[in-house]
Amino acid sequence: MTERTRTIAVVTAGLSQPSSTRMLADRLAEATSSRLAEKGIPAEVRIFELRDVALDVMNNMLTGFPSPKLDAVIEAVTGADGLIAVTPIFTTSASGLFKSFFDVIDNRSLTDMPTVIAATAGTARHSLALDYAIRPMFTYLHAVVATTAVFAASEDWGSGADTVKTLPDRIDRAAGELAALIAASDRSNSVRDPFTIDASFSPTGGFQPSI
């Protein structure tokens, strides 16, 4: 039986082009696709640069309504089979754009979503932000977050033998965990519009008028 193609949404909050954040996102996506291929599962990667919808996110924060452009991104991300979320670290936490994007989506729309979190920063001392700031956010959103989070400091992109080995190892480990979560997930069979009214809902509540 042919395996269904899984969709991997990659959300990256890098502000420059090119950026180390996008570079890390690309490597995680490539590694995850390779791990899924090893299991005989085809994958489609869709990359979303939040800088392209930054004004739309801000307007949504102010008005409570997404633009058609932002709505399409939200629908694609929340309807995916897996998520790779990568942010630069500013002042010991995720970037404001990254946090704002996940603030404007419904807090039930990532339920059971297989997810890998990753971050970049200038120095390794920011790496703890993944576990004390970013992981709790996705736990609140009910995502299934892989055990391994990937952090890349500026020095990890250098030419030293130790760092060159270590970052690819972390990427490969996280990709393997995400691929396993995606392969085991039946989330695509249960994704529903969070604004859909339940069939049992009655506008009159429990009151049954007498006839």
Side-chain angles (χ1 to χ4, degrees), residues 13 87-99 119 129-130 133-134 137:
T87 179
I89 300 298
F90 296 122
T91 320
T92 73
S93 189
S95 75
L97 178 57
F98 183 85
K99 177 66 165 57
L130 276 165
I134 301 170
M137 182 180 76

Side-chain angles (χ1 to χ4, degrees), residues 55-78:
L55 291 178
D56 303 83
V57 170
M58 180 56 65
N59 287 333
N60 192 164
M61 296 283 286
L62 295 173
T63 66
F65 298 97
S67 66
K69 182 178 180 181
L70 177 59
D71 191 51
V73 173
I74 292 172
E75 183 176 349
V77 170
T78 58

Side-chain angles (χ1 to χ4, degrees), residues 14-195:
L15 299 181
S16 60
Q17 286 186 326
S19 70
S20 59
T21 303
R22 173 61 187 271
M23 192 184 311
L24 180 57
D26 287 343
R27 292 196 181 184
L28 280 164
E30 181 180 357
T32 303
S33 295
S34 296
R35 285 303 196 97
L36 284 170
E38 291 172 4
K39 300 175 183 293
I41 300 174
E44 175 189 359
V45 174
R46 299 191 64 186
I47 297 177
F48 302 97
E49 292 262 16
L50 293 186
R51 69 193 303 275
D52 295 335
V53 290
L55 291 178
D56 303 83
V57 170
M58 180 56 65
N59 287 333
N60 192 164
M61 296 283 286
L62 295 173
T63 66
F65 298 97
S67 66
K69 182 178 180 181
L70 177 59
D71 191 51
V73 173
I74 292 172
E75 183 176 349
V77 170
T78 58
D81 296 291
L83 172 64
I84 296 171
V86 192
T87 179
I89 300 298
F90 296 122
T91 320
T92 73
S93 189
S95 75
L97 178 57
F98 183 85
K99 177 66 165 57
S100 295
F101 174 75
F102 289 102
D103 280 343
V104 301
I105 68 173
D106 184 270
N107 62 14
R108 298 164 294 175
S109 60
L110 293 182
T111 298
D112 297 330
M113 173 73 80
T115 301
V116 156
I117 56 174
T120 59
T123 64
R125 69 175 183 269
H126 295 293
S127 61
L128 291 177
L130 276 165
D131 284 320
Y132 71 68
I134 301 170
R135 187 180 297 275
M137 182 180 76
F138 284 98
T139 299
Y140 171 78
L141 294 172
H142 308 291
V144 180
V145 186
T147 302
T148 300
V150 181
F151 178 83
S154 297
E155 62 194 32
D156 287 320
W157 304 106
S159 59
D162 290 340
T163 56
V164 167
K165 178 181 179 182
T166 302
L167 180 57
D169 285 348
R170 294 197 301 266
I171 291 171
D172 187 62
R173 186 165 63 249
E177 292 173 8
L178 181 58
L181 289 172
I182 292 173
S185 174
D186 61 356
R187 182 178 187 273
S188 62
N189 298 323
S190 59
V191 173
R192 61 183 292 272
D193 185 339
F195 299 104

